[in-house]
Amino acid sequence: MDEMKSKNYAWRKKPRKFAPKSRLGCKTCKIRRIKCDLSRPSCLKCRSTGRTCDGYNEMPLACKAERIQPTQYAREIVDRVDSCDSDHPCTTASAYEPTRWHSKYHDLNLQNLGSLMVLPVTGSTQAEAMYFFQDISIKDLNEYRPCEPWRKILMFFSQTVPAVRHAAMALALIHRNYLDRDSHERGYQSPSWKDRLQDKAPLIHYNRAIELLLNLESGDSAETTAVTLLVCYLFTCFDHLAGDDVQAVKHLRGGVALLRSIETASFSHCTSDNAQSSGVHAILCQVAKQIHHLDMQAVMFLVDWTPANIQETFMSHLALDDSPFRSLDQAADHLQNLLTQVMRLRNTNYQISPTDTMSPLPSSLKDIVLGQLETWSNLFENLLQQDGPSGSDFGTGPLVSLLRLQHTIAWILLNGYGPGREMDYDKFLPQFQQCVALAGEVAAAHQRYSGSSRSTFTPEIGFLPVLYIIGVKCRHPIVRRQVLSILRRQLIREAAWDSISTARVVERVIEIEEGAGGEQMVHCMEQIPVWQRIEALSYTYVRRGPPAARLEITYTFCAREGVHIESLMI
């Protein structure tokens, strides 16, 4: 009997084996305390037993990928990722396995930044937003001057840093809204996306990015500065797409102010084409370069905008003398500075000294810039004629046509500088015709680049302001209508410029100057008298409430007093 009792109670002496709690499994397997096979959307364990799989709780923490060299930067990323909670999970497209992802971007020189942190996915809509950012938004952001290292930086940080991730998702969602809106007007709809996308979704990620940015560790480390500037850049793009150009300019001002607070010497070698940088410093140089481009180009839509260090940059270019260009990118930077000087000269309506400490120049700034434009043209053509594989491809590139277009319009504007000289623009008809031909080449390349006639967006300034200048300053009826044809071909948005508004303003100028609502087309420029020509013109995009958006234009006539204000529906 005793032996029987000992056998009956033997099981009580054995410790009960508890399975470890599953942290990755579905909710049902967690409750049952069994190992989950992690199959999606329902695990096989539940399906094989006829149970209902209650799904998974997404982890708000980053999943560590292949271990490289641990550094302080990697630890900071982990700390920032840990700040994400379950109410605001970090999201990802999870498009790449860690090893493949790092292998694909090894040439970005990021191996010294520590462990690659790939953030987990939390939903098909958010995943699709990241796919869109990686496949379309990044491609469109710097279409005119593609920069592969810059695109890789955006990819890397959008995959690894929560603040940049949410800023990228906000941009992708509003970018997709922008494309869908244009597609809807053309009769095309994307129900699969529209049904899932909520209007507030872009703003949610926008606000979340701000929250995460404010939670970054205090200090002026290069890593924190790079993340802040990246978010600033993405926010500038976001607000331009949202039609809030005022807020976009505020973000740009913030980025420029942050750059100016950094020691200039730390970026001195970034401007050199043969400079070799690595790690965080290379990233910071690339971000600074993109912010600088937007800062220089803002004069194309803001009359009172003064780019940072514009005089110092101009004097550094003057020091080049006749030094040959080493690359197309260097030529583009030099021309952008000259174009900025031209626009500043016209916008301020008076000549300025390149530096405040120098004595007055022996000749006007206008003559100096005209000389520099001629020098640039000679150096540029010499670059295109260089032997070698890189030189042979220049002649057919869209950037070459764009640079020639911008150079020609800068030359026209500077030669027509001064009040009461509207009739002088008639002398530049051959140059205007050349500009229209170049703009047609850029527009055709743009359409090939986008792959279709879909609407596109870029924060860079390309050829829309040039078409605007031609449309309002060249009075030749055929040239003007060629400009309208290019503008109407495809919906394009460049920062605060868009092709629809630009076309509408040019149409109104034609109506005013040609008379009779533009229906009775004039046959030659001389038929438009000086007193009927618009001299100064500006317009503002206004969007208030549900009614259709409109443009408020302000203009004056040559040799006539008075300011005229009109409101145009678009």
Side-chain angles (χ1 to χ4, degrees):
M1 180 67 68
D2 293 337
E3 183 179 356
M4 202 65 172
K5 286 183 178 180
S6 63
K7 288 182 178 181
N8 290 340
Y9 290 95
W11 62 272
R12 294 187 178 181
K13 298 179 181 179
K14 297 179 181 180
R16 182 178 178 182
K17 294 183 179 180
F18 289 92
K21 186 176 181 180
S22 173
R23 298 186 181 275
L24 296 176
C26 70
K27 298 177 183 178
T28 306
C29 290
K30 285 182 181 180
I31 295 175
R32 297 180 61 207
R33 296 181 181 274
I34 63 174
K35 185 177 181 180
C36 181
D37 57 33
L38 304 179
S39 298
R40 306 264 179 156
S42 302
C43 74
L44 295 177
K45 287 277 189 181
C46 294
R47 282 186 285 177
S48 63
T49 58
R51 290 180 170 83
T52 299
C53 182
D54 293 329
Y56 300 83
N57 283 325
E58 300 295 345
M59 294 183 62
L61 303 180
C63 300
K64 295 184 179 180
E66 179 183 2
R67 174 66 63 180
I68 313 175
Q69 296 178 1
T71 63
Q72 179 63 27
Y73 180 76
R75 289 192 291 273
E76 289 181 3
I77 288 183
V78 173
D79 294 340
R80 294 168 194 167
V81 172
D82 288 345
S83 68
C84 298
D85 52 44
S86 58
D87 293 331
H88 301 281
C90 304
T91 58
T92 186
S94 289
Y96 310 97
E97 294 182 8
T99 304
R100 287 180 56 202
W101 196 91
H102 181 259
S103 173
K104 184 174 181 180
Y105 298 97
H106 71 281
D107 56 340
L108 186 57
N109 293 325
L110 294 173
Q111 61 269 22
N112 294 326
L113 297 183
S115 300
L116 176 64
M117 311 299 298
V118 180
L119 308 180
V121 66
T122 62
S124 60
T125 301
Q126 296 175 352
E128 192 170 352
M130 283 308 302
Y131 287 137
F132 186 88
F133 177 75
Q134 297 164 12
D135 294 339
I136 297 180
S137 295
I138 287 181
K139 179 183 176 183
D140 287 357
L141 290 182
N142 60 340
E143 171 191 345
Y144 296 125
R145 295 178 63 179
C147 179
E148 197 60 27
W150 170 240
R151 294 178 180 181
K152 290 177 180 179
I153 286 172
L154 286 175
M155 279 286 297
F156 179 83
F157 277 86
S158 67
Q159 287 279 8
T160 60
V161 181
V164 181
R165 162 58 56 83
H166 284 277
M169 292 182 64
L171 175 59
L173 289 171
I174 200 164
H175 193 183
R176 187 57 187 259
N177 274 341
Y178 170 75
L179 297 186
D180 282 352
R181 189 163 56 247
D182 178 51
S183 299
H184 180 70
E185 293 173 357
R186 300 184 185 193
Y188 170 80
Q189 295 186 18
S190 177
S192 59
W193 177 272
K194 286 177 177 288
D195 291 344
R196 294 192 302 267
L197 185 63
Q198 299 179 359
D199 292 338
K200 63 180 180 179
L203 190 58
I204 290 176
H205 291 287
Y206 184 94
N207 291 334
R208 180 57 178 157
I210 295 176
E211 180 183 351
L212 291 169
L213 196 62
L214 293 175
N215 289 336
L216 290 178
E217 292 184 2
S218 60
D220 56 352
S221 67
E223 298 89 344
T224 302
T225 302
V227 171
T228 305
L229 288 173
L230 276 167
V231 174
C232 177
Y233 173 87
L234 293 172
F235 278 179
T236 301
C237 299
F238 177 97
D239 284 305
H240 274 313
L241 264 174
D244 192 350
D245 296 320
V246 174
Q247 189 62 35
V249 169
K250 289 181 180 178
H251 289 305
L252 180 57
R253 288 188 188 276
V256 171
L258 180 58
L259 283 178
R260 296 184 71 172
S261 67
I262 302 174
E263 186 64 32
T264 305
S266 63
F267 297 104
S268 59
H269 69 282
C270 294
T271 57
S272 176
D273 288 351
N274 57 2
Q276 297 295 327
S277 302
S278 62
V280 178
H281 191 75
I283 294 173
L284 202 52
C285 286
Q286 282 291 341
V287 181
K289 184 176 181 180
Q290 297 299 323
I291 296 290
H292 178 67
H293 285 167
L294 299 187
D295 180 32
M296 294 288 286
Q297 294 177 346
V299 296
M300 299 300 295
F301 58 89
L302 291 173
V303 176
D304 60 345
W305 186 267
T306 302
N309 303 321
I310 180 62
Q311 284 90 355
E312 293 85 348
T313 306
F314 181 64
M315 293 304 296
S316 66
H317 282 296
L318 284 178
L320 291 176
D321 294 327
D322 294 336
S323 303
F325 292 135
R326 295 185 298 273
S327 67
L328 197 60
D329 197 52
Q330 185 191 25
D333 285 339
H334 196 163
L335 180 60
Q336 179 60 65
N337 182 71
L338 293 175
L339 185 58
T340 301
Q341 287 290 347
V342 171
M343 295 307 300
R344 286 293 301 154
L345 183 61
R346 290 184 60 87
N347 291 341
T348 56
N349 261 341
Y350 60 87
Q351 295 175 347
I352 58 174
S353 173
T355 61
D356 295 334
T357 57
M358 292 183 61
S359 58
L361 296 171
S363 59
S364 67
L365 180 59
K366 170 185 172 180
D367 295 332
I368 293 177
V369 178
L370 278 174
Q372 284 293 300
L373 284 172
E374 183 178 359
T375 301
W376 182 93
S377 180
N378 294 332
L379 296 177
F380 183 66
E381 295 304 324
N382 291 337
L383 175 66
L384 299 185
Q385 294 174 5
Q386 288 178 356
D387 296 330
S390 59
S392 62
D393 295 335
F394 283 160
T396 57
L399 180 56
V400 172
S401 297
L402 179 61
L403 294 180
R404 283 175 171 158
L405 173 64
Q406 293 176 340
H407 172 267
T408 305
I409 204 67
W411 182 89
I412 293 174
L413 286 176
L414 211 52
N415 278 281
Y417 173 74
R421 301 188 60 184
E422 289 303 310
M423 299 297 291
D424 292 348
Y425 285 107
D426 294 355
K427 298 184 299 185
F428 305 137
L429 178 59
Q431 288 78 17
F432 280 126
Q433 292 172 327
Q434 179 186 6
C435 284
V436 171
L438 290 170
E441 294 176 5
V442 176
H446 178 90
Q447 192 165 357
R448 291 194 301 269
Y449 183 88
S450 62
S452 66
S453 59
R454 69 170 176 84
S455 56
T456 59
F457 164 78
T458 175
E460 298 178 337
I461 298 297
F463 65 105
L464 288 186
V466 178
L467 291 174
Y468 167 78
I469 293 170
I470 299 172
V472 300
K473 293 300 181 183
C474 179
R475 273 76 184 190
H476 194 281
I478 296 179
V479 172
R480 278 182 156 176
R481 283 153 182 83
Q482 288 174 338
V483 167
L484 288 177
S485 176
I486 297 174
L487 290 172
R488 291 167 177 162
R489 185 180 307 169
Q490 183 179 5
L491 178 58
I492 302 171
R493 186 171 182 88
E494 299 173 353
W497 290 88
D498 72 87
S499 54
I500 292 179
S501 300
T502 305
R504 185 68 186 94
V505 173
V506 172
E507 286 174 347
R508 181 55 186 152
V509 171
I510 294 175
E511 293 172 357
I512 295 173
E513 292 191 342
E514 295 186 5
E519 296 178 1
Q520 298 177 356
M521 188 179 72
V522 299
H523 300 288
C524 62
M525 298 178 292
E526 290 76 15
Q527 288 182 292
I528 304 177
V530 62
W531 55 266
Q532 197 171 334
R533 299 190 177 203
I534 292 177
E535 182 175 29
L537 173 68
S538 64
Y539 72 88
T540 305
Y541 180 84
V542 179
R543 184 179 62 181
R544 298 175 182 172
R550 71 180 190 274
L551 300 171
E552 289 187 355
I553 65 171
T554 303
Y555 59 94
T556 61
F557 287 102
C558 188
R560 290 166 59 184
E561 295 182 356
V563 177
H564 302 264
I565 301 176
E566 293 185 14
S567 182
L568 303 178
M569 302 303 294
I570 55 174

